[in-house]
Amino acid sequence: MMKTIKVTQEVHSMLSEIGNKKDTYNDIILKLINEHNEQYSEEFEDDQADYYNKCIEKIENEDYSDIIEVDFDNIDEELERLESEGTI
């Protein structure tokens, strides 16, 4: 099933510049959607996902033992301190 969409002349021109001569507007829009999805989807490696899931589980169980207090008024100094301690 085909659908018709309305775009301004400016958007039409911009879409034309993105695609090749052989591309349909459907191809161009699909390309933009795929690029958008790639940019905004963040996939983690298994070990990263495990780490984040454990962190979430601890917070859900109100276990704050690994929480580090940070003074945001002096964030640069705090970051330097945490780096020097090997925390980050």
Side-chain angles (χ1 to χ4, degrees):
M1 176 191 334
M2 298 295 281
K3 295 282 186 177
T4 302
I5 61 171
K6 293 182 180 182
V7 296
T8 64
Q9 183 61 45
E10 178 184 12
V11 170
H12 183 273
S13 297
M14 293 168 73
L15 288 171
S16 296
E17 289 177 18
I18 292 172
N20 299 318
K21 287 189 177 205
K22 64 181 180 175
D23 289 337
T24 65
Y25 287 103
N26 191 79
D27 295 335
I28 297 166
I29 293 170
L30 186 59
K31 175 183 175 181
L32 293 170
I33 290 169
N34 288 335
E35 288 176 4
H36 170 81
N37 289 340
E38 285 177 19
Q39 180 179 358
Y40 290 102
S41 70
E42 186 173 315
E43 293 189 26
F44 297 110
E45 299 292 325
D46 288 342
D47 57 336
Q48 292 172 315
D50 288 341
Y51 172 78
Y52 291 121
N53 286 332
K54 287 177 185 174
C55 291
I56 291 167
E57 184 179 326
K58 288 178 89 170
I59 291 170
E60 289 174 343
N61 292 323
E62 297 182 13
D63 177 358
Y64 305 112
S65 59
D66 294 333
I67 301 295
I68 300 167
E69 191 172 325
V70 176
D71 177 7
F72 286 102
D73 291 332
N74 301 306
I75 191 69
D76 291 331
E77 291 85 6
E78 287 290 320
L79 288 171
E80 287 179 25
R81 178 181 67 82
L82 293 170
E83 285 176 352
S84 69
E85 293 173 356
T87 305
I88 58 171

